[in-house]
Amino acid sequence: MRRFFTSTARRRCSTKNIAWWDHVLPAPKDPIFCVTEAFHADSSPNKINLGVGAYRDDEGRPVVLQCVREAEARIAGSRFLESNSAAVSSKMVEESVKLVFGQDSDVVNEGRFAGVQALSGTGACRLFAEFQRRFHPESRIYLPDPTWSNHHNIWRDAQVPAKNYHYYHPDSKGLNFSALIDDIKNAPDGSFFLLHPCAHNPTGVDPTEDQWKEISYQCKVKNHFPFFDMAYQGFASGDLEKDAQAIRIFLEDGHLIGCAQSFAKNMGLYEHRVGCLSILCNDSKQGAAVRSQLQQIASAMYGSPPVHGVLLVSTILSNPDMKSLWIEEVKMMLYRIQKMRTTLQESLENLDSPLNWENITKQVGLFFFSGLTPNQVEQLAREFHIYMTRDGRISMSGVTTGNVNYLANAIHEVTRSSKEETKILCNIGA
Amino acid sequence: MRPELTLPTGQASSPTDRRLNALLRHLSSSSSSAMDTNNSISPSPTSAFQHDSVFSHVVQAPEDPILGVTVAYNKDPSPVKLNLGVGAYRTEEGKPLVLNVVRKAEQQLVNDRARVKEYLPIIGLAEFNKLSAKLIFGADSPAIQENRITTVQCLSGTGSLRVGAEFLAKHYHQRTIYIPLPTWGNHPKVFTLAGLSVKTYRYYDPATRGLNFQGLLEDLGSAPAGAIVLLHACAHNPTGVDPTLQQWEQIRQLMRSKKLLPFFDSAYQGFASGSLDADAQSVRMFVADGGECLAAQSYAKNMGLYGERVGALSIVCKTADVAGKVESQLKLVIRPMYSNPPIHGASIVAAILRDRNLYSEWTIELKAMADRIISMRHQLYDALRARGTPGDWSHIIKQIGMFTFTGLNSKQVTFMTKEYHIYMTSDGRISMAGLSSKTVPHLADAIHAAVTRVV
């Protein structure tokens, strides 16, 4: 091959080569993943990673659920690795949507929905955003303030403009319900609203049942399209059914919702990228049409989702024994998180902290929205080797009986001179 | 005035209660709607409770023409039916194949309790990325040694193309990509949806059933400076027609002189000739001149990992510094798409590529697959010669890779489907991998009949 060009030819060629990418600026780091990066770069034995919302056990280790191990053993090497057989796909989708819509849901039994597997929650949201752009090109998405930082990236890259609606009240550290309702009322009719059905990320603040009913009603009056991002089913109360309550309320009120589901956290399948996107339709024919369009969007993005994760989910959800085991394991994960919440709150109270820490146990899900300022967050990293996102969101799964006292002391140190009004930095990465 | 919400606390209302309550609110809100300047829609009390879907206007999408062939094939009850549609490898028995090395690697993974269980980084499994770059660019590639290649794990070839194209649409000054005519059916959609505009360059010559080299040079020669050009690294899909090494060299010189940016799609490395290195010559030629390019790799065919969606995108840059910045921007493309890639397939690939024995076994299995396909080509060619089928069929043995562009027209294809239950795409492309020694005669009969009876 070398005989095909001389060194002079090479010189000629390379001087003519312009550098295509010199103008490319270094991208800002992802606000969530960079926490883990910083953590890894730290050599302190006391370091704690409170960044990413991935479950860890009390030794701080990632966990493979027993039901997943069993499913892995069952499927290993026993099937050919071609793209999803239709049977496995539709089984997985059906079992997934039953989790959110109900085991006996009419919608599911009558096939009045479009459902496709997706690349976890991110992929499901992105598919929907692209679909929204294609079929409602003038629409925008209303996102709660604050929300998961990647929501803004997703809809932006799908070229759907975003607007915030009030959600978190920094003063009360609870839900800014009246402002939320006002925003729903003031939005143009037929707007698209993204809702966290439980365990809101990053605040851990969820509407009550009554508040959900009111939100549903107001959305109905305005003919809004409700889109649910269900990333933490099971992690709010430990009960999968209970955590789907908001969605059931909307269904009963006759909304034709969209829903993104992730199995990353509640099945511990983070690295397999398994999720589901569903859109309720008037009838099964329309469901088929919508599904065909979603598949087109997916096929121009990545083809089809990886079969391994789909098989795992399908195996677990279709086998009653494995499904029961899974339900128990979700409860156990949540139990540990709740225990850490209680312990952390007690530890801080025992240190005579000037601040009120009841939100640690009031908030739900994986995260504690601490109210720490960016300066305090930075101080925790610098002086105590404790890492969390800049908005003060603490992933409780990084807390263990081994480090909770150290953590409490550190938080106490950086806040002992604080007053009650600590500002919250909302909506990072927007 | 809408009544205050006064559901009794601690009492879960039944769905019927709630529907009635909601309906009541419906009625009372419609009387106050005049006061609400933003609410231009007053829900009629008599309208159906469930309003129409906001997606009622969505029509059924047309079926993918390639996958549609399999759908039609599945419906056919004939015992002699033959699926020559999708480019997925089949054994002599007509079965899909899990490579032995893949089984071994997967078993290793199952038994390894220590492996990664959480999110991969955005750009995927680091070891997989390094090994993939070595596979396509060569372990001794100066570009690798100089650290000026960024490689990111993506979802097979499709995902690699899409991520690359979105990066280009965001950061590259020229938004036009030239694709060969014809090309894989999904290429135009991938690039268009990524934000690029698609143009074609001449490639296939139906008269010779070979490369329209003059046309190719003319079209690339008249492309605007800096335009992106999609090149099939080997085993062109659907035609099986590849440039010779000399022709590749001419293409390279032309492209570099016009500052055209090469974007390689390498979906069949190892499948074309049976040699991984030989099948990467075109790519390595371009990298060797010190210039920049993109390359999308797929492990769907050569490792049989179709369903696991394993691939990699590499961008070869002028300097390591630029490669670092480019990589950081690739992360911004990937994060809002799916956050990070799936681990399973990449782990299998890494396990095979890193282990000398498994790698060696793989090359043997890969050569066996390629050899079987070449054998099918020869058998079909011989069978047509034996039948005295009119025409020159030498392109069957000249074309490379999984597919043969037969030259049959759509009428002939329809005839073959109807009379002989042969399923293939209407452009006359057949997947040689779908043939076996047993079924070659049937196909030869069908082609013979089509050519002599249908014009």
PDB file of all heavy atoms in Angstrom, chain B residues 123 128-133 136 150-161 263-264 266 294-299 309-315:
ATOM      1  N   ILE B 123     -19.354   8.299  26.727  1.00  0.00           N
ATOM      2  CA  ILE B 123     -18.729   7.800  25.496  1.00  0.00           C
ATOM      3  C   ILE B 123     -18.515   6.293  25.526  1.00  0.00           C
ATOM      4  O   ILE B 123     -17.938   5.729  24.610  1.00  0.00           O
ATOM      5  CB  ILE B 123     -17.405   8.518  25.179  1.00  0.00           C
ATOM      6  CG1 ILE B 123     -16.392   8.302  26.307  1.00  0.00           C
ATOM      7  CG2 ILE B 123     -17.645   9.998  24.926  1.00  0.00           C
ATOM      8  CD1 ILE B 123     -14.992   8.795  25.948  1.00  0.00           C
ATOM      9  N   PHE B 128     -13.293  -0.900  25.113  1.00  0.00           N
ATOM     10  CA  PHE B 128     -13.952  -1.183  23.835  1.00  0.00           C
ATOM     11  C   PHE B 128     -13.557  -0.128  22.802  1.00  0.00           C
ATOM     12  O   PHE B 128     -13.257  -0.441  21.644  1.00  0.00           O
ATOM     13  CB  PHE B 128     -15.467  -1.208  24.035  1.00  0.00           C
ATOM     14  CG  PHE B 128     -16.257  -1.149  22.761  1.00  0.00           C
ATOM     15  CD1 PHE B 128     -16.521  -2.309  22.052  1.00  0.00           C
ATOM     16  CD2 PHE B 128     -16.740   0.057  22.270  1.00  0.00           C
ATOM     17  CE1 PHE B 128     -17.253  -2.261  20.862  1.00  0.00           C
ATOM     18  CE2 PHE B 128     -17.458   0.116  21.093  1.00  0.00           C
ATOM     19  CZ  PHE B 128     -17.721  -1.049  20.380  1.00  0.00           C
ATOM     20  N   ASN B 129     -13.549   1.134  23.205  1.00  0.00           N
ATOM     21  CA  ASN B 129     -13.226   2.211  22.275  1.00  0.00           C
ATOM     22  C   ASN B 129     -11.802   2.083  21.737  1.00  0.00           C
ATOM     23  O   ASN B 129     -11.557   2.199  20.543  1.00  0.00           O
ATOM     24  CB  ASN B 129     -13.416   3.570  22.956  1.00  0.00           C
ATOM     25  CG  ASN B 129     -14.892   3.864  23.229  1.00  0.00           C
ATOM     26  OD1 ASN B 129     -15.781   3.309  22.580  1.00  0.00           O
ATOM     27  ND2 ASN B 129     -15.152   4.730  24.189  1.00  0.00           N
ATOM     28  N   LYS B 130     -10.875   1.819  22.641  1.00  0.00           N
ATOM     29  CA  LYS B 130      -9.469   1.675  22.215  1.00  0.00           C
ATOM     30  C   LYS B 130      -9.307   0.518  21.237  1.00  0.00           C
ATOM     31  O   LYS B 130      -8.651   0.635  20.208  1.00  0.00           O
ATOM     32  CB  LYS B 130      -8.584   1.355  23.431  1.00  0.00           C
ATOM     33  CG  LYS B 130      -8.157   2.540  24.240  1.00  0.00           C
ATOM     34  CD  LYS B 130      -6.930   2.172  25.102  1.00  0.00           C
ATOM     35  CE  LYS B 130      -6.294   3.364  25.758  1.00  0.00           C
ATOM     36  NZ  LYS B 130      -7.177   4.057  26.722  1.00  0.00           N
ATOM     37  N   LEU B 131      -9.905  -0.615  21.605  1.00  0.00           N
ATOM     38  CA  LEU B 131      -9.755  -1.811  20.773  1.00  0.00           C
ATOM     39  C   LEU B 131     -10.437  -1.633  19.422  1.00  0.00           C
ATOM     40  O   LEU B 131      -9.957  -2.120  18.396  1.00  0.00           O
ATOM     41  CB  LEU B 131     -10.310  -3.031  21.514  1.00  0.00           C
ATOM     42  CG  LEU B 131      -9.516  -3.436  22.750  1.00  0.00           C
ATOM     43  CD1 LEU B 131     -10.315  -4.411  23.623  1.00  0.00           C
ATOM     44  CD2 LEU B 131      -8.189  -4.070  22.355  1.00  0.00           C
ATOM     45  N   SER B 132     -11.568  -0.929  19.410  1.00  0.00           N
ATOM     46  CA  SER B 132     -12.267  -0.695  18.147  1.00  0.00           C
ATOM     47  C   SER B 132     -11.423   0.170  17.223  1.00  0.00           C
ATOM     48  O   SER B 132     -11.351  -0.080  16.012  1.00  0.00           O
ATOM     49  CB  SER B 132     -13.615  -0.010  18.392  1.00  0.00           C
ATOM     50  OG  SER B 132     -14.492  -0.876  19.061  1.00  0.00           O
ATOM     51  N   ALA B 133     -10.792   1.185  17.791  1.00  0.00           N
ATOM     52  CA  ALA B 133      -9.949   2.054  16.969  1.00  0.00           C
ATOM     53  C   ALA B 133      -8.803   1.250  16.362  1.00  0.00           C
ATOM     54  O   ALA B 133      -8.481   1.379  15.183  1.00  0.00           O
ATOM     55  CB  ALA B 133      -9.415   3.211  17.804  1.00  0.00           C
ATOM     56  N   ILE B 136      -9.943  -0.947  13.349  1.00  0.00           N
ATOM     57  CA  ILE B 136     -10.170  -0.347  12.043  1.00  0.00           C
ATOM     58  C   ILE B 136      -8.961   0.416  11.527  1.00  0.00           C
ATOM     59  O   ILE B 136      -8.662   0.366  10.336  1.00  0.00           O
ATOM     60  CB  ILE B 136     -11.448   0.520  12.016  1.00  0.00           C
ATOM     61  CG1 ILE B 136     -11.668   1.031  10.595  1.00  0.00           C
ATOM     62  CG2 ILE B 136     -11.393   1.683  12.984  1.00  0.00           C
ATOM     63  CD1 ILE B 136     -13.091   1.034  10.148  1.00  0.00           C
ATOM     64  N   THR B 150     -10.549  10.448  18.426  1.00  0.00           N
ATOM     65  CA  THR B 150     -11.494  10.216  19.498  1.00  0.00           C
ATOM     66  C   THR B 150     -12.461   9.129  19.034  1.00  0.00           C
ATOM     67  O   THR B 150     -12.996   9.190  17.925  1.00  0.00           O
ATOM     68  CB  THR B 150     -12.248  11.485  19.938  1.00  0.00           C
ATOM     69  OG1 THR B 150     -13.360  11.082  20.736  1.00  0.00           O
ATOM     70  CG2 THR B 150     -12.762  12.286  18.775  1.00  0.00           C
ATOM     71  N   THR B 151     -12.639   8.119  19.880  1.00  0.00           N
ATOM     72  CA  THR B 151     -13.546   7.023  19.557  1.00  0.00           C
ATOM     73  C   THR B 151     -14.597   6.922  20.646  1.00  0.00           C
ATOM     74  O   THR B 151     -14.260   6.893  21.833  1.00  0.00           O
ATOM     75  CB  THR B 151     -12.783   5.680  19.480  1.00  0.00           C
ATOM     76  OG1 THR B 151     -11.724   5.797  18.535  1.00  0.00           O
ATOM     77  CG2 THR B 151     -13.718   4.563  19.040  1.00  0.00           C
ATOM     78  N   VAL B 152     -15.853   6.920  20.244  1.00  0.00           N
ATOM     79  CA  VAL B 152     -16.938   6.818  21.226  1.00  0.00           C
ATOM     80  C   VAL B 152     -17.837   5.641  20.871  1.00  0.00           C
ATOM     81  O   VAL B 152     -18.135   5.411  19.696  1.00  0.00           O
ATOM     82  CB  VAL B 152     -17.764   8.122  21.294  1.00  0.00           C
ATOM     83  CG1 VAL B 152     -16.898   9.287  21.704  1.00  0.00           C
ATOM     84  CG2 VAL B 152     -18.471   8.420  20.002  1.00  0.00           C
ATOM     85  N   GLN B 153     -18.255   4.909  21.896  1.00  0.00           N
ATOM     86  CA  GLN B 153     -19.152   3.783  21.687  1.00  0.00           C
ATOM     87  C   GLN B 153     -20.542   4.298  21.309  1.00  0.00           C
ATOM     88  O   GLN B 153     -21.047   5.239  21.942  1.00  0.00           O
ATOM     89  CB  GLN B 153     -19.261   2.954  22.967  1.00  0.00           C
ATOM     90  CG  GLN B 153     -20.172   1.747  22.837  1.00  0.00           C
ATOM     91  CD  GLN B 153     -20.474   1.086  24.163  1.00  0.00           C
ATOM     92  OE1 GLN B 153     -19.753   1.264  25.137  1.00  0.00           O
ATOM     93  NE2 GLN B 153     -21.547   0.322  24.220  1.00  0.00           N
ATOM     94  N   CYS B 154     -21.128   3.702  20.282  1.00  0.00           N
ATOM     95  CA  CYS B 154     -22.465   4.102  19.858  1.00  0.00           C
ATOM     96  C   CYS B 154     -23.310   2.855  19.593  1.00  0.00           C
ATOM     97  O   CYS B 154     -22.816   1.746  19.722  1.00  0.00           O
ATOM     98  CB  CYS B 154     -22.404   4.945  18.584  1.00  0.00           C
ATOM     99  SG  CYS B 154     -21.622   6.544  18.798  1.00  0.00           S
ATOM    100  N   LEU B 155     -24.566   3.088  19.233  1.00  0.00           N
ATOM    101  CA  LEU B 155     -25.468   1.957  19.021  1.00  0.00           C
ATOM    102  C   LEU B 155     -25.356   1.456  17.589  1.00  0.00           C
ATOM    103  O   LEU B 155     -26.108   1.862  16.701  1.00  0.00           O
ATOM    104  CB  LEU B 155     -26.902   2.326  19.390  1.00  0.00           C
ATOM    105  CG  LEU B 155     -27.146   2.204  20.899  1.00  0.00           C
ATOM    106  CD1 LEU B 155     -26.790   3.491  21.634  1.00  0.00           C
ATOM    107  CD2 LEU B 155     -28.579   1.849  21.185  1.00  0.00           C
ATOM    108  N   SER B 156     -24.410   0.561  17.373  1.00  0.00           N
ATOM    109  CA  SER B 156     -24.178  -0.075  16.081  1.00  0.00           C
ATOM    110  C   SER B 156     -23.837   0.966  15.027  1.00  0.00           C
ATOM    111  O   SER B 156     -23.487   2.110  15.356  1.00  0.00           O
ATOM    112  CB  SER B 156     -25.396  -0.917  15.674  1.00  0.00           C
ATOM    113  OG  SER B 156     -24.984  -1.965  14.825  1.00  0.00           O
ATOM    114  N   GLY B 157     -23.931   0.589  13.775  1.00  0.00           N
ATOM    115  CA  GLY B 157     -23.572   1.525  12.713  1.00  0.00           C
ATOM    116  C   GLY B 157     -24.515   2.693  12.643  1.00  0.00           C
ATOM    117  O   GLY B 157     -24.100   3.853  12.524  1.00  0.00           O
ATOM    118  N   THR B 158     -25.817   2.397  12.766  1.00  0.00           N
ATOM    119  CA  THR B 158     -26.822   3.457  12.705  1.00  0.00           C
ATOM    120  C   THR B 158     -26.544   4.540  13.730  1.00  0.00           C
ATOM    121  O   THR B 158     -26.525   5.737  13.420  1.00  0.00           O
ATOM    122  CB  THR B 158     -28.221   2.886  12.984  1.00  0.00           C
ATOM    123  OG1 THR B 158     -28.465   1.789  12.125  1.00  0.00           O
ATOM    124  CG2 THR B 158     -29.296   3.935  12.779  1.00  0.00           C
ATOM    125  N   GLY B 159     -26.343   4.134  14.955  1.00  0.00           N
ATOM    126  CA  GLY B 159     -26.109   5.091  16.036  1.00  0.00           C
ATOM    127  C   GLY B 159     -24.829   5.884  15.819  1.00  0.00           C
ATOM    128  O   GLY B 159     -24.779   7.075  16.108  1.00  0.00           O
ATOM    129  N   SER B 160     -23.797   5.229  15.310  1.00  0.00           N
ATOM    130  CA  SER B 160     -22.532   5.918  15.059  1.00  0.00           C
ATOM    131  C   SER B 160     -22.705   6.973  13.969  1.00  0.00           C
ATOM    132  O   SER B 160     -22.194   8.089  14.080  1.00  0.00           O
ATOM    133  CB  SER B 160     -21.455   4.918  14.635  1.00  0.00           C
ATOM    134  OG  SER B 160     -21.344   3.872  15.582  1.00  0.00           O
ATOM    135  N   LEU B 161     -23.447   6.606  12.929  1.00  0.00           N
ATOM    136  CA  LEU B 161     -23.690   7.555  11.841  1.00  0.00           C
ATOM    137  C   LEU B 161     -24.487   8.754  12.351  1.00  0.00           C
ATOM    138  O   LEU B 161     -24.181   9.907  12.015  1.00  0.00           O
ATOM    139  CB  LEU B 161     -24.469   6.880  10.707  1.00  0.00           C
ATOM    140  CG  LEU B 161     -23.711   5.817   9.908  1.00  0.00           C
ATOM    141  CD1 LEU B 161     -24.672   5.000   9.059  1.00  0.00           C
ATOM    142  CD2 LEU B 161     -22.659   6.470   9.022  1.00  0.00           C
ATOM    143  N   PHE B 263     -16.450  10.477   5.400  1.00  0.00           N
ATOM    144  CA  PHE B 263     -17.176   9.845   6.491  1.00  0.00           C
ATOM    145  C   PHE B 263     -17.363   8.393   6.071  1.00  0.00           C
ATOM    146  O   PHE B 263     -18.165   8.080   5.196  1.00  0.00           O
ATOM    147  CB  PHE B 263     -18.534  10.535   6.685  1.00  0.00           C
ATOM    148  CG  PHE B 263     -19.229  10.212   7.990  1.00  0.00           C
ATOM    149  CD1 PHE B 263     -20.166  11.090   8.520  1.00  0.00           C
ATOM    150  CD2 PHE B 263     -18.980   9.038   8.700  1.00  0.00           C
ATOM    151  CE1 PHE B 263     -20.810  10.820   9.728  1.00  0.00           C
ATOM    152  CE2 PHE B 263     -19.623   8.755   9.898  1.00  0.00           C
ATOM    153  CZ  PHE B 263     -20.549   9.662  10.413  1.00  0.00           C
ATOM    154  N   PHE B 264     -16.584   7.497   6.688  1.00  0.00           N
ATOM    155  CA  PHE B 264     -16.626   6.087   6.322  1.00  0.00           C
ATOM    156  C   PHE B 264     -17.723   5.363   7.090  1.00  0.00           C
ATOM    157  O   PHE B 264     -17.877   5.553   8.295  1.00  0.00           O
ATOM    158  CB  PHE B 264     -15.296   5.392   6.634  1.00  0.00           C
ATOM    159  CG  PHE B 264     -14.221   5.692   5.630  1.00  0.00           C
ATOM    160  CD1 PHE B 264     -13.283   6.692   5.861  1.00  0.00           C
ATOM    161  CD2 PHE B 264     -14.155   4.973   4.440  1.00  0.00           C
ATOM    162  CE1 PHE B 264     -12.301   6.965   4.931  1.00  0.00           C
ATOM    163  CE2 PHE B 264     -13.175   5.241   3.504  1.00  0.00           C
ATOM    164  CZ  PHE B 264     -12.243   6.238   3.747  1.00  0.00           C
ATOM    165  N   SER B 266     -18.281   1.646   8.010  1.00  0.00           N
ATOM    166  CA  SER B 266     -17.656   0.325   7.968  1.00  0.00           C
ATOM    167  C   SER B 266     -18.556  -0.678   8.679  1.00  0.00           C
ATOM    168  O   SER B 266     -18.472  -0.848   9.893  1.00  0.00           O
ATOM    169  CB  SER B 266     -16.281   0.372   8.650  1.00  0.00           C
ATOM    170  OG  SER B 266     -15.733  -0.923   8.714  1.00  0.00           O
ATOM    171  N   LEU B 294     -14.040  10.811   9.454  1.00  0.00           N
ATOM    172  CA  LEU B 294     -14.892  10.139  10.426  1.00  0.00           C
ATOM    173  C   LEU B 294     -15.056   8.687   9.987  1.00  0.00           C
ATOM    174  O   LEU B 294     -15.006   8.384   8.794  1.00  0.00           O
ATOM    175  CB  LEU B 294     -16.279  10.785  10.483  1.00  0.00           C
ATOM    176  CG  LEU B 294     -16.392  12.158  11.127  1.00  0.00           C
ATOM    177  CD1 LEU B 294     -16.034  13.269  10.172  1.00  0.00           C
ATOM    178  CD2 LEU B 294     -17.809  12.378  11.658  1.00  0.00           C
ATOM    179  N   ALA B 295     -15.272   7.798  10.972  1.00  0.00           N
ATOM    180  CA  ALA B 295     -15.523   6.402  10.634  1.00  0.00           C
ATOM    181  C   ALA B 295     -16.545   5.824  11.599  1.00  0.00           C
ATOM    182  O   ALA B 295     -16.396   5.936  12.823  1.00  0.00           O
ATOM    183  CB  ALA B 295     -14.237   5.584  10.692  1.00  0.00           C
ATOM    184  N   ALA B 296     -17.600   5.213  11.028  1.00  0.00           N
ATOM    185  CA  ALA B 296     -18.619   4.533  11.834  1.00  0.00           C
ATOM    186  C   ALA B 296     -18.385   3.037  11.698  1.00  0.00           C
ATOM    187  O   ALA B 296     -18.286   2.528  10.581  1.00  0.00           O
ATOM    188  CB  ALA B 296     -20.012   4.903  11.333  1.00  0.00           C
ATOM    189  N   GLN B 297     -18.272   2.354  12.843  1.00  0.00           N
ATOM    190  CA  GLN B 297     -18.049   0.906  12.823  1.00  0.00           C
ATOM    191  C   GLN B 297     -19.257   0.192  13.394  1.00  0.00           C
ATOM    192  O   GLN B 297     -19.850   0.642  14.381  1.00  0.00           O
ATOM    193  CB  GLN B 297     -16.886   0.537  13.737  1.00  0.00           C
ATOM    194  CG  GLN B 297     -15.515   0.637  13.176  1.00  0.00           C
ATOM    195  CD  GLN B 297     -14.488   0.451  14.287  1.00  0.00           C
ATOM    196  OE1 GLN B 297     -14.231   1.364  15.070  1.00  0.00           O
ATOM    197  NE2 GLN B 297     -13.904  -0.719  14.352  1.00  0.00           N
ATOM    198  N   SER B 298     -19.565  -0.969  12.803  1.00  0.00           N
ATOM    199  CA  SER B 298     -20.640  -1.794  13.329  1.00  0.00           C
ATOM    200  C   SER B 298     -20.110  -3.194  13.603  1.00  0.00           C
ATOM    201  O   SER B 298     -19.323  -3.727  12.828  1.00  0.00           O
ATOM    202  CB  SER B 298     -21.774  -1.880  12.318  1.00  0.00           C
ATOM    203  OG  SER B 298     -22.658  -2.926  12.670  1.00  0.00           O
ATOM    204  N   TYR B 299     -20.561  -3.788  14.710  1.00  0.00           N
ATOM    205  CA  TYR B 299     -20.228  -5.186  15.017  1.00  0.00           C
ATOM    206  C   TYR B 299     -21.426  -6.100  14.802  1.00  0.00           C
ATOM    207  O   TYR B 299     -21.422  -7.259  15.197  1.00  0.00           O
ATOM    208  CB  TYR B 299     -19.734  -5.314  16.468  1.00  0.00           C
ATOM    209  CG  TYR B 299     -18.388  -4.686  16.690  1.00  0.00           C
ATOM    210  CD1 TYR B 299     -18.268  -3.391  17.166  1.00  0.00           C
ATOM    211  CD2 TYR B 299     -17.219  -5.393  16.414  1.00  0.00           C
ATOM    212  CE1 TYR B 299     -17.023  -2.800  17.356  1.00  0.00           C
ATOM    213  CE2 TYR B 299     -15.966  -4.819  16.601  1.00  0.00           C
ATOM    214  CZ  TYR B 299     -15.871  -3.518  17.069  1.00  0.00           C
ATOM    215  OH  TYR B 299     -14.642  -2.949  17.255  1.00  0.00           O
ATOM    216  N   ARG B 309     -26.677  -4.018  19.365  1.00  0.00           N
ATOM    217  CA  ARG B 309     -26.427  -2.627  18.978  1.00  0.00           C
ATOM    218  C   ARG B 309     -25.043  -2.140  19.426  1.00  0.00           C
ATOM    219  O   ARG B 309     -24.912  -1.241  20.260  1.00  0.00           O
ATOM    220  CB  ARG B 309     -27.510  -1.692  19.541  1.00  0.00           C
ATOM    221  CG  ARG B 309     -28.941  -2.227  19.508  1.00  0.00           C
ATOM    222  CD  ARG B 309     -29.380  -2.727  18.138  1.00  0.00           C
ATOM    223  NE  ARG B 309     -29.436  -1.663  17.153  1.00  0.00           N
ATOM    224  CZ  ARG B 309     -29.016  -1.759  15.891  1.00  0.00           C
ATOM    225  NH1 ARG B 309     -28.537  -2.891  15.438  1.00  0.00           N
ATOM    226  NH2 ARG B 309     -29.124  -0.729  15.066  1.00  0.00           N
ATOM    227  N   VAL B 310     -24.016  -2.764  18.874  1.00  0.00           N
ATOM    228  CA  VAL B 310     -22.656  -2.395  19.256  1.00  0.00           C
ATOM    229  C   VAL B 310     -21.952  -1.729  18.093  1.00  0.00           C
ATOM    230  O   VAL B 310     -21.878  -2.288  17.002  1.00  0.00           O
ATOM    231  CB  VAL B 310     -21.793  -3.621  19.632  1.00  0.00           C
ATOM    232  CG1 VAL B 310     -20.684  -3.206  20.566  1.00  0.00           C
ATOM    233  CG2 VAL B 310     -22.641  -4.708  20.250  1.00  0.00           C
ATOM    234  N   GLY B 311     -21.420  -0.578  18.323  1.00  0.00           N
ATOM    235  CA  GLY B 311     -20.694   0.119  17.277  1.00  0.00           C
ATOM    236  C   GLY B 311     -19.825   1.197  17.875  1.00  0.00           C
ATOM    237  O   GLY B 311     -19.820   1.408  19.094  1.00  0.00           O
ATOM    238  N   ALA B 312     -19.082   1.877  17.001  1.00  0.00           N
ATOM    239  CA  ALA B 312     -18.207   2.950  17.475  1.00  0.00           C
ATOM    240  C   ALA B 312     -18.075   4.012  16.406  1.00  0.00           C
ATOM    241  O   ALA B 312     -18.074   3.716  15.212  1.00  0.00           O
ATOM    242  CB  ALA B 312     -16.828   2.399  17.820  1.00  0.00           C
ATOM    243  N   LEU B 313     -17.994   5.255  16.862  1.00  0.00           N
ATOM    244  CA  LEU B 313     -17.715   6.373  15.956  1.00  0.00           C
ATOM    245  C   LEU B 313     -16.331   6.893  16.275  1.00  0.00           C
ATOM    246  O   LEU B 313     -16.026   7.165  17.440  1.00  0.00           O
ATOM    247  CB  LEU B 313     -18.735   7.496  16.154  1.00  0.00           C
ATOM    248  CG  LEU B 313     -18.382   8.816  15.469  1.00  0.00           C
ATOM    249  CD1 LEU B 313     -18.550   8.717  13.953  1.00  0.00           C
ATOM    250  CD2 LEU B 313     -19.226   9.969  16.019  1.00  0.00           C
ATOM    251  N   SER B 314     -15.493   7.004  15.252  1.00  0.00           N
ATOM    252  CA  SER B 314     -14.177   7.608  15.454  1.00  0.00           C
ATOM    253  C   SER B 314     -14.069   8.868  14.632  1.00  0.00           C
ATOM    254  O   SER B 314     -14.538   8.916  13.491  1.00  0.00           O
ATOM    255  CB  SER B 314     -13.064   6.644  15.015  1.00  0.00           C
ATOM    256  OG  SER B 314     -12.949   5.564  15.893  1.00  0.00           O
ATOM    257  N   ILE B 315     -13.472   9.888  15.201  1.00  0.00           N
ATOM    258  CA  ILE B 315     -13.165  11.098  14.441  1.00  0.00           C
ATOM    259  C   ILE B 315     -11.663  11.314  14.532  1.00  0.00           C
ATOM    260  O   ILE B 315     -11.105  11.473  15.631  1.00  0.00           O
ATOM    261  CB  ILE B 315     -13.926  12.335  14.969  1.00  0.00           C
ATOM    262  CG1 ILE B 315     -15.435  12.063  14.949  1.00  0.00           C
ATOM    263  CG2 ILE B 315     -13.592  13.559  14.100  1.00  0.00           C
ATOM    264  CD1 ILE B 315     -16.309  13.274  15.283  1.00  0.00           C
TER     265      ILE B 315
END
